[in-house]
Amino acid sequence: MTNLNFADKQYSGERFRHWFAHTIDKQSELTVEKIAKELGYTRHHAVQQWIDGKGKPSWRHLPKLAELLNVDQAVLIPLFVDAQIDDPDVREEVFEAASHTVPKWEYPMIEIARSIYIDGNPAVWDHYKPDYLS
């Protein structure tokens, strides 16, 4: 399993895009077409543009998108904020502030939880278990 931490600066300005593409890829039952339909789009192109970095989701989609992706809305807020700000210094500062609703470590933890609960692979926990639990 790849441990992707979308809070890393390497994803700055494109955190939602990378996280969304990765999430869609990991959930075989979820497609761009299905998400587009559930959000009320007649064609999937708007949602595909999120992955391609040519568009951003509307804030009004946040609750339904969180439901479809099976994540807490608080996980999406910092990702949405990151996509809205052009100035890199301001973006990192605001992302950091928005991340207080979701600790930075939660992004890789979501992937661990998916591997354990969705993919049925509890052995992954042995590799990523925090030192204080060893």
Side-chain angles (χ1 to χ4, degrees):
M1 179 178 119
T2 303
N3 185 12
L4 299 174
N5 183 352
F6 295 106
D8 285 346
K9 281 188 175 184
Q10 74 183 43
Y11 297 107
S12 184
E14 297 190 336
R15 288 179 172 108
F16 175 80
R17 177 174 88 87
H18 288 285
W19 180 86
F20 184 64
H22 180 72
T23 300
I24 296 292
D25 187 48
K26 295 294 281 183
Q27 295 187 27
S28 59
E29 75 284 352
L30 203 54
T31 64
V32 170
E33 292 81 7
K34 181 176 180 179
I35 291 171
K37 182 179 178 184
E38 290 290 329
L39 294 176
Y41 291 107
T42 56
R43 298 178 10 189
H44 74 279
H45 300 298
V47 175
Q48 182 62 47
Q49 287 183 336
W50 303 348
I51 293 172
D52 296 340
K54 298 177 183 174
K56 303 172 207 168
S58 168
W59 282 89
R60 66 183 167 86
H61 292 316
L62 190 138
K64 183 65 175 178
L65 196 55
E67 178 186 323
L68 291 169
L69 299 172
N70 198 29
V71 297
D72 191 291
Q73 291 181 38
V75 170
L76 293 179
I77 290 171
L79 299 173
F80 271 49
V81 164
D82 178 72
Q84 303 297 319
I85 301 171
D86 292 328
D87 182 306
D89 294 330
V90 173
R91 178 176 42 240
E92 287 306 307
E93 187 176 339
V94 174
F95 177 78
E96 182 73 28
S99 292
H100 287 294
T101 61
V102 180
K104 286 183 178 182
W105 54 262
E106 189 161 334
Y107 293 105
M109 290 301 289
I110 289 168
E111 294 309 313
I112 293 169
R114 278 202 177 105
S115 183
I116 294 169
Y117 299 113
I118 295 174
D119 300 336
N121 182 13
V124 74
W125 181 247
D126 294 335
H127 181 70
Y128 291 99
K129 190 184 302 182
D131 293 337
Y132 67 87
L133 291 177
S134 296

